[in-house]
Amino acid sequence: MAAVQDGQIEPESEKEIKSETLNDATGNHAAAVGGLLPSSPVSTASVGASNSSKAAASEDQQTLLAVLQFLKRNKLVESADILRREAGLLEESDDAQGSEGGRDELGGASADEGGEAASLFSRVTSATGASGIATGPAPSKVAQGSEDQPDVSVVLSAYSQQGDPALYQMYYSGLKKFIESVLDCHRAELSQLFYPLFVHMYLELVYNNHEQEAKEFFEKFHGDQECYYRDDLRVLSGMSKKEHMRGNETLLDFRTSKFVLRISRDSYQLLKRHLQERQNNQIWNIIQEHLYIDIFDGMPRSKSQIDSMSGSLAGEAKREANKAKVFYGLLKEPEIEVPLDDEDEEAENEEGKPKKKKPKKDSMGSKSKKQDPNAPQQNRIPLPELKDSDKLDKIMYMKEATKRIRLGPDNLPSICFYTFLNAYQGLTAVDITDDSSLIAGGFADSTVRVWSVTPRKLRAVKSATDLSLIDKESEDVLERIMDEKTASESKILYGHNGPVYGISFSPDRNYLLSCSEDGTVRLWSLQTFTCLVCYKGHNYPVWDVQFSPHGYYFTSGGHDRVARLWATDHYQPLRMFAGHLADITCTRFHPNSNYLATGSADRTVRLWDILNGNCNRIFTGHKGPIHSLAFSPNGKFLASGATDGRVLLWDIGRGLMIEELNGHTDTIYALKFSRDGEILASGSMDNTVRLWDAVKAFDDIETDDFTAATGHVHLSENSLELQLGTYTSKSTPVIHLHFTRRNLLLAAGGYNP
Amino acid sequence: MAEERRPKPCSVILPTESMKAIAESMGVGQLQEESCVALSEEVSYRIKEIAQDALKFMHHGKRRKLMTSDIDYALKLKNVEPLYGFQSQEFIPFRFASGGGRELHFYEEKEVDLSDIINTPLPRVPLDVSLKAHWLSIEGVQPAIPENPPPISKEQQKTESTEPLKAVKPGQEEEGPIQGKGQGAANAENKGKEKCVVRMKARSTHELSVEQQLYYKEITEACVGSCEAKRAEALQSIATDPGLYQMLPRFSTFISEGVRVNVVQNNLALLIYLMRMVKALMDNPTLYLEKYLHELIPAVVTCIVSKQLCLRPDMDNHWALRDFAARLMAQSCKTFSTTNNNIQSRITKTFTKSLLDEKTQWTTRYGCIAGLAELGPDVIKTLIIPRLSVEGSRIKAVSEGPVVSNIDKIGADHVQSLLLKHCASVIAKTRPLPDNSDQYRTDYGYLGPMLCSHVVKARAQAALQAQQVNRTTLTITQPRPTLTLSQGGVSGVSGPRTPNIIKVPSSLTLPVQTLVSARPVTPTQPSPPATKYIVMSTSAAAATTQQVITLSSARSTSPITSPAPSSASTMQPLVKLEHGGASAGAAATGAGGSRPVQKYIVVSLPSAASETKGASLTSPLPASSGPAPVLDSSSKTDRSDSPGASGH
């Protein structure tokens, strides 16, 4: 029997949430952004019925309401009345809840606490079936979990099922024995159950105040869990009291999102039969209420296949989650009249309108006239008009591109390393402009510093009074407005109130964005070297910020688990992308500016559609917080690097993992594709820059339909062959990488004596 | 199913005593035991939570070290007021003490004299952040510049040399890389490593790039050339540059061949230069020298024990070279001797054998003793002291017997002073008081009385040292003594002084300011007994010293060895280096008149630890230093073979 909270959030409950504690940040923002996310009713919290009286005694109102609904549904009017009287609840609120509850379709399927096996299984099948239907619009499946949860206590009350605490160990070891005894082909798949079951059983014990049993349970079985869950286990091990469960984010994540497992039908049948025989209701309840089992037909997956995809906080992504169409193609480049190659000396001719049209025949397919079928509509996202200066810059870019070195395994790029000396471990972020003329560093002392790496010095515009004296008609007015006295090689920008964790230059080099621990994003002018706007919206540290490749838009993500899309001329965000279960650690724009990738501490990468805010891809497989992302220049692929020292390559179009690049021994803070996408460079805390053969990695993709359909990847074990070079610095972690327009690799980091 | 067993997640909980202590500090007297338990659990949990959040800030700060500011931010995240006043760049120096049944952790707070602070000059302003660019890689090849780490780490060099079949050496990859494609190309190809595990040892082609060839030429020319400044620079480069790995075989051959030729030609200056190259190579922390010891050690040993090292053995100061080479030998024994190669015992055996040989020349004898003595007090005790009476009688035969030749006499003199110098300190430590001259004579023969006076001095000095160590005032930051030789004929010593010579103003007259420097060992190897040198300066005219090893062999009549004990000083100088042609402000116009001369007297003192031990030690003499003067060779060999005898 289960009383069910509805997924839909009513306006009044939304207000209520806003006044809630910090921990509800996710729910809060998810609610605020509700319009963007499709929501469907999903059963999440169910309360054991046998302890309805117990629940009534609970101090929490939400639980009370849930119980009331249950009573009502079962026509226990009298007891409901008594309860309401005793609790002193208002009729209206009850009604509101009740009407929501009525919408739920799963509630009816609830079984008695006695739990005869038959009804149990009917429940499960209906649950999986129903959610299969419910997940029709696949995006942000897991997001709804958090959205559905108005209050932690409701979440917790799901644990109030009482079982004999002493038997938990027996249950678990019984299952363990069973799984260890099954055929090899099933064992790997069923082993996935261990971790979520372990966690939920432990939490149940803790919730029901069986501290001693919980400790013993943990001691006995934590060694069995996969090593990549170590960090979460550490959090769990600290949590030994019911009081601790309130306000613990990790716990919230476990509970609010169903842990997703992908299991073949055969293995699932096996498990079902076993539990049926053993009457192992405790485990069955957990599987049913806290896990989402994604059953597929076909061969069970191998251990390595499972390992490559698992590791995320909430299990694997559901298959449906990665089915939506993504327009990964590039936008058509605007038609710009480019002067002929041989007219190089006529630099000034560019200012005057050159006559001849001659688009470059480039490696970049984007230059071709015909529209890429995978590309989004040109105006899918309104993009800013190109200014004259932008066109000039484009021309420069194309000119440089013709001089570009073609890279490859036999033709490795030169690497120039910019070392920040005397930074005293304070360097937290670096960015380099696209034309490699400026380099900026964000520091732990709240400053942002900008250097010019060309002989051209940084000059600020003159003050207003001086500007009024200038002859605006003169030819060199752009030169005259500059104040020569301010020329220097570097400028310091003061304004933040905490370490600057992310910085990004605008493509036109007029602006610089920075985000900081103080929760703000600031826009700086590189003409005046002052702060123009302070974007407030994140309440917690902002970990990353990035300008769109077309300028104007930018994105930020931080500790509040919400990525935001901003436009420079709006002080409020245009979109909020909620769904991650932990901090968003890095954000990147797709080269066509229509999509946004976010990496998170929940060990997933998500791809969001900027147009409608949908989450179109969820990539699982990392075993640690993701700290770097990079799109390939053709927009088809995504690379992500995490604290586990691995780089994963993803095919965006098909939503598949392509390759795992092993080699780094520490967090990867920088990833970058060469301009033509032939080489992937990765920079890490282990003081190395590594080069990988991207072409080969992408060529190796298996194109069989089964893989595409199921998302079961076979990773080749050749990541060492893909590695083209390792370059160690003396003691400088690499925190930024950048390919110049001619494919020279620039690396940057702070010397760490 | 776990892939690896990991350390179990700790569930450490603060002790309840801490809760009590904190409560007491807040003024809560009686705290219930249950509340303590509850509190400690709660507090431990919250602390863990905060630490986890702080880790997040550390990761985003792109650091490996958690800092107090991270904790502050984590607190802020939880809406907790941060701790004020914690600003720690480094670790917090908790000290631990126990006593009276209580265990305490406390901050160490030193009493600071305000006037000291006021009088000290202001610290330098911290440097501003700056940007520096260098090439990490040029077309896939990492250039061997100081900004980059050494191309091949020492460990890698080691594995390559010890297991040549397993690791493919860069530079031996497939078809020997073309010029300029050194390690980088190999790096790029090291993906191939996995495949070619089983393969024959590839042919060894050490091809050097054009730049490397130029460098090699420049360096070797400078090292043996006439310009002292250039030489210093070259040696500096050898001692510090990270990219020399590939040239190491060439250098090694250069040195061994050089020694071979120059010993025959008796070219003392060149031998000294070559030894200095060896020293520089040994100082370079990035080189794995083990592979080349078979060339270097014979060269060094040659410079120690060769019968003749110079054209005029009666005039030239080849003794200093022997001393220097002996120190090098001792250093390499310390650094490289393992149970496998047994360098130390083999070297000891060699020295001992020729020492026992009756027909050994004085020069060789000197070298053997010097070589043994540098290996440490244990070796002196077991191998030299028993020989004292034999050597003493031999010296007596030369000095008091019929005049054989001047050379022999000088040799005997040197051997005598050497023996006195080394044995005195050891005896001072091991022999119980009193120092009776007659007793010494019976124990050590002819050298006994002299030894006795030296031991007395050594003891006095040890006492003095004990005082001086307590008020060490200045530490030399460049503990790299350099052997400079001025030899009139061969190389005109001119030009500026090498930068790494310890400079002491010549105006200092008293050893008030003691300069304590470490012994010249490779930085990786902490020298166990840490003998300290007190360096003093005297002007050229000052003649308060007793024992002068003058290296200026050009005009001086003969190396002076004046063992005459002067009552004025209690010092016992061991080495005195004289630098000619110095541009330093030594205005003294010495007795020679022509050259301003500055002298450094390096006094060897036992380290503080061993010295206090010596002072308090009243143990009886070891058996080996007993009256039995001669050990038969077999027993000696045994001793040198045993690990106990080999060094410290």
Side-chain angles (χ1 to χ4, degrees), chain A residues 720, chain B residues 163-169 173-174 190-202:
Chain A
L720 264 183
Chain B
E163 300 166 57
L165 291 185
K166 284 204 179 138
V168 178
K169 190 189 292 176
E173 188 79 32
E174 270 85 39
N190 61 9
K191 62 194 177 188
K193 262 188 189 175
E194 239 60 67
K195 281 187 287 189
C196 37
V197 171
V198 185
R199 57 188 284 174
M200 298 303 290
K201 184 172 182 178

Side-chain angles (χ1 to χ4, degrees), chain A residues 22 191 194 211 218-219 222-227 230 233 235 237-239 241 244 248 307 412-422 424-425 427-428 439 443 449 451 453 499 501 517 540-541 543 559 583 585 627 643 666-667 669 685-686 689 720-721 723-724 726-730 735 744, chain B residues 1-11 13 41-42 45-46 48-49 52-53 55-65 67 70 73 76-79 89 126-142 146-150 181 184 187-191 194 242:
Chain A
L22 318 173
S191 298
F194 281 132
E211 195 182 332
F218 190 91
E219 281 300 310
H222 78 81
D224 298 343
Q225 311 308 326
E226 299 281 353
C227 52
R230 188 172 24 194
L233 287 179
V235 176
S237 71
M239 196 154 42
K241 289 234 182 305
H244 296 161
N248 188 300
D307 275 349
L412 294 175
S414 300
I415 308 172
C416 179
F417 203 109
Y418 285 103
T419 312
F420 288 78
L421 300 170
N422 311 316
Y424 307 104
Q425 305 218 356
L427 183 71
T428 45
I439 183 167
F443 291 85
R449 289 163 195 256
W451 280 268
V453 291
Y501 289 122
E517 186 270 339
Y540 292 102
W543 298 131
H559 179 69
D583 301 28
T585 46
H627 274 273
T643 53
D666 211 331
T667 311
Y669 281 117
M685 196 70 194
D686 64 11
V689 174
L720 264 183
E721 286 174 35
Q723 186 171 331
L724 298 177
T726 306
Y727 305 97
T728 314
S729 71
K730 249 183 178 167
I735 63 172
L744 171 72
Chain B
M1 69 188 267
E3 280 169 351
E4 56 183 68
R5 286 279 156 178
R6 54 186 172 275
K8 69 173 193 182
C10 53
S11 49
I13 285 180
E41 283 182 12
E42 178 67 15
Y45 173 71
R46 297 295 164 199
K48 280 179 200 167
E49 220 176 28
Q52 273 156 9
D53 277 344
L55 276 179
K56 209 178 273 181
F57 282 94
M58 180 192 79
H59 273 300
H60 282 283
K62 281 136 186 144
R63 277 175 277 120
R64 278 206 200 85
K65 212 188 263 174
M67 304 224 279
D70 295 329
Y73 295 131
K76 199 174 152 194
L77 209 63
K78 296 220 168 297
N79 257 348
Q89 297 299 317
L127 296 167
D128 197 14
V129 184
S130 60
L131 202 57
K132 185 180 188 304
H134 74 267
W135 290 107
L136 188 68
S137 145
I138 297 170
E139 289 173 2
V141 183
Q142 186 161 30
E147 285 87 351
N148 287 329
K181 290 242 177 191
N187 273 342
E189 289 158 22
N190 61 9
K191 62 194 177 188
E194 239 60 67

Side-chain angles (χ1 to χ4, degrees), chain B residues 545-579:
Chain B
T545 52
Q546 309 90 26
Q547 204 176 22
V548 184
I549 304 167
T550 315
L551 303 186
S552 61
S553 55
R555 291 167 301 103
S556 60
T557 53
S558 72
I560 312 152
T561 314
S562 55
S566 93
S567 58
S569 168
T570 53
M571 297 293 165
Q572 185 198 18
L574 299 185
V575 183
K576 181 161 182 174
L577 302 182
E578 176 193 283
H579 303 287

